Amino acid sequence: MANAQQPPPLRTNWAGNLSYSAPRLFEPRSVQEVQSAVRVCHHLHALGSRHSFNAIADDSENQISLSALNSIDLDPSASTVTVGAGVRYGDLAPVIEARGFALKNLASLPHISVAGAIATATHGSGLHNGNLATAVSAVEFVDADGRLVQLSRSQAPDQLAAAAVHLGALGILTRISLEVQPTFQVAQTVYLDLPFAELEDHLEEIFASGYSVSLFTDWQNSRFTQVWIKRRTDCIDEPATLGPEFFAARRATEKMHPIPGQSAEACTDQFGIPGPWYDRLPHFRMKFIPSSGDELQSEYFVPLEHACPAIRVVETLRDRITPHLLVSELRTVEADNLWMSMAYQRRSLAIHFTWKPAGDAVLGFLLEIEACLAPFHARPHWGKIFTLPPAELRALYPRFTDFRSLVSRCDASGKFCNQFLTALCSG
Ligand SMILES: Cc1cc2nc3c(=O)[nH]c(=O)nc-3n(C[C@H](O)[C@H](O)[C@H](O)COP(=O)(O)OP(=O)(O)OC[C@H]3O[C@@H](n4cnc5c(N)ncnc54)[C@H](O)[C@@H]3O)c2cc1C
């Protein structure tokens, strides 16, 4: 039986903008201990690596961390790897790389847990890369009665499409299977100062210039301050080495961090030097603090066909938002069929904001940004900060009612329904 430990009074999320209200934390060491914890609790919510910026992982009574469930089982014949729910991408990647395998894509940081990342449809970039939950081929979770439930794409494709982006609502995930592929190398090149106008004229070409492309901006001077192009070295139509100019941008001659003034030592290698997929697809290295540390984040997904008007409308707010911003990043995400994914049935442009930690001021800007992006039916990132009212949020997800029904079936008593989910489902 997993004993609930009394945590220190101020248990916070990674950014420190949120103190969890759950007084108790369970730290089970086995699936059986997860089942015992679920059976004894009236209310319980899983905690991943705490990188979400809102209360999606909080609970009024109990949290449960699966960090001790860290098994990694590669099945080369099935091209899958099955991980315990506590495993982080940064732990998993070198293990499968050593055996000649890779994941299709990664987020900007490897520090996050697989269970927590798929819960919120965490993504990297790439016109042909879905979010990280699209790699899920099976999940195992403990439902509200303490029973172990297994769902796989081969046996229950529709249920897996519902459960992959799970928002922590279905139960406590214990194991996740992910598709793997033969390992590959990636070369990363950074360019400086790409005018917005170039994107308007060459959007498809710019985002297709690499396996994964990120554009950074401070919204000033109608230009992207940095363009990060990550190319697979095994793509015949994509030479890894890029020239000194990229449209009207120029190749960086020193290693860059996306946020001005931060040390580029924290970033993965640049200058077109090839390296393993897991050491190039994220922007930040496992042993360093990713991004800034003292920050807030928000992100909105619009259909890719509306990318340029959406960028221009956010640009109109530039003189007020730039002073409060560390950086913005624009990435693409392939459309998918996962019910609660921000890219559900929409190839998307993700417009991300890393804010200075200026609480209320940021909330004010979010209201304005959301109003500007409303005509494009922008979906906010589940793990970041947003102010969109629940009814508007629900309307953005065509399968929301089906998801809510599934949640009720897995969790009739509302054991896993925290304040975040209560507001979403009924607010
Ligand atoms: C510096 C930084 C950079 C980031 N970069 C990116 C990025 O590039 N792309 C992107 O999309 N997002 C990014 N994010 C956001 C981050 O990926 C998401 O918030 C993600 O959900 C965090 O995962 P986590 O493991 O920390 O989960 P938590 O934040 O701890 O929890 C998230 C959700 O997962 C659920 N959960 C966790 N474990 C389980 C389990 N075992 N069973 C059931 N539910 C569970 C929780 O209940 C909660 O609902 C970034 C965040 C930070 C701080």
Side-chain angles (χ1 to χ4, degrees):
M1 159 78 209
N3 291 321
Q5 294 176 356
Q6 203 65 41
L10 263 187
R11 200 152 34 82
T12 67
N13 66 344
W14 173 86
N17 65 300
L18 178 78
S19 295
Y20 294 120
S21 47
R24 283 172 298 276
L25 175 71
F26 285 82
E27 294 182 286
R29 306 203 66 80
S30 66
V31 172
Q32 291 71 25
E33 287 190 1
V34 177
Q35 292 176 287
S36 305
V38 168
R39 288 195 182 108
V40 299
C41 290
H42 293 293
H43 264 282
L44 176 72
H45 213 78
L47 188 60
S49 59
R50 302 180 296 112
H51 284 78
S52 293
F53 290 85
N54 59 36
I56 193 168
D58 201 6
D59 191 83
S60 56
E61 296 181 12
N62 303 290
Q63 284 176 310
I64 183 166
S65 163
L66 279 77
S67 57
L69 272 64
N70 52 15
S71 58
I72 299 177
D73 297 308
L74 182 70
D75 181 348
S77 60
S79 293
T80 59
V81 63
T82 298
V83 298
V87 167
R88 299 173 302 169
Y89 286 95
D91 305 318
L92 166 63
V95 173
I96 60 170
E97 163 68 14
R99 296 187 56 193
F101 288 91
L103 299 173
K104 188 170 183 191
N105 206 8
L106 290 169
S108 69
L109 76 174
H111 309 64
I112 48 178
S113 76
V114 174
I118 65 167
T120 63
T122 287
H123 63 99
S125 192
L127 280 178
H128 304 290
N129 294 329
N131 70 52
L132 303 189
T134 59
V136 174
S137 60
V139 292
E140 176 190 89
F141 62 93
V142 177
D143 74 6
D145 296 323
R147 288 176 304 220
L148 211 51
V149 179
Q150 276 145 355
L151 297 176
S152 70
R153 192 187 295 146
S154 56
Q155 289 179 344
D158 206 38
Q159 282 175 296
L160 191 73
V165 178
H166 55 87
L167 310 182
L170 299 179
I172 309 302
L173 261 66
T174 44
R175 288 188 189 96
I176 303 133
S177 299
L178 302 172
E179 288 167 348
V180 294
Q181 58 179 273
T183 185
F184 56 91
Q185 294 232 315
V186 175
Q188 174 165 254
T189 308
V190 174
Y191 288 88
L192 307 177
D193 295 328
L194 177 76
F196 286 175
E198 293 289 333
L199 191 74
E200 279 166 336
D201 293 342
H202 307 283
L203 180 124
E204 195 76 26
E205 261 176 284
I206 287 173
F207 279 119
S209 64
Y211 182 71
S212 164
V213 175
S214 288
L215 309 177
F216 294 91
T217 183
D218 57 7
W219 299 103
Q220 294 295 316
N221 305 313
S222 276
R223 55 92 174 91
F224 299 103
T225 48
Q226 297 181 25
V227 180
W228 289 37
I229 302 176
K230 299 167 195 262
R231 289 194 157 184
R232 283 178 70 138
T233 59
D234 59 355
C235 287
I236 306 154
D237 52 343
E238 253 188 24
T241 312
L242 285 161
E245 285 181 11
F246 177 75
F247 296 91
R250 65 187 191 286
R251 198 170 54 199
T253 52
E254 57 183 306
K255 193 176 176 193
M256 302 300 296
H257 189 292
I259 301 174
Q262 299 275 342
S263 166
E265 201 191 356
C267 297
T268 47
D269 277 352
Q270 302 166 13
F271 305 121
I273 302 164
W277 56 281
Y278 74 86
D279 205 16
R280 295 293 183 278
L281 292 175
H283 305 328
F284 304 109
R285 296 158 71 191
M286 184 72 175
K287 291 200 176 112
F288 292 80
I289 292 177
S291 193
S292 154
D294 203 9
E295 65 191 65
L296 298 173
Q297 294 188 9
S298 42
E299 190 168 31
Y300 297 94
F301 294 69
V302 297
L304 190 60
E305 61 268 26
H306 300 317
C308 293
I311 291 167
R312 287 297 188 189
V313 82
V314 175
E315 189 190 14
T316 62
L317 304 172
R318 63 181 178 267
D319 288 342
R320 280 182 307 120
I321 65 177
T322 304
H324 298 276
L325 193 69
L326 289 167
V327 76
S328 264
E329 179 178 10
L330 284 73
R331 290 176 280 184
T332 55
V333 188
E334 179 59 294
D336 61 54
N337 260 329
L338 308 180
W339 297 4
M340 299 307 288
S341 159
M342 291 82 77
Y344 179 75
Q345 296 190 338
R346 301 195 326 202
R347 179 179 267 193
S348 301
L349 177 80
I351 307 176
H352 164 90
F353 303 83
T354 303
W355 302 100
K356 294 174 187 169
D360 288 348
V362 170
L363 293 180
F365 297 134
L366 295 188
L367 283 167
E368 288 187 62
I369 291 169
E370 287 166 8
C372 284
L373 293 178
F376 309 111
H377 308 289
R379 293 173 177 151
H381 192 302
W382 290 114
K384 302 184 181 180
I385 295 175
F386 56 88
T387 61
L388 210 64
E392 289 177 40
L393 200 48
R394 289 195 291 267
L396 292 168
Y397 288 88
R399 301 296 301 264
F400 181 80
T401 309
D402 297 327
F403 183 73
R404 186 161 51 189
S405 305
L406 179 72
V407 171
S408 308
R409 288 201 298 281
C410 294
D411 181 18
S413 65
K415 187 173 279 192
F416 306 119
C417 196
N418 59 9
Q419 222 179 349
F420 181 96
L421 292 170
T422 304
L424 173 67
C425 293
S426 53

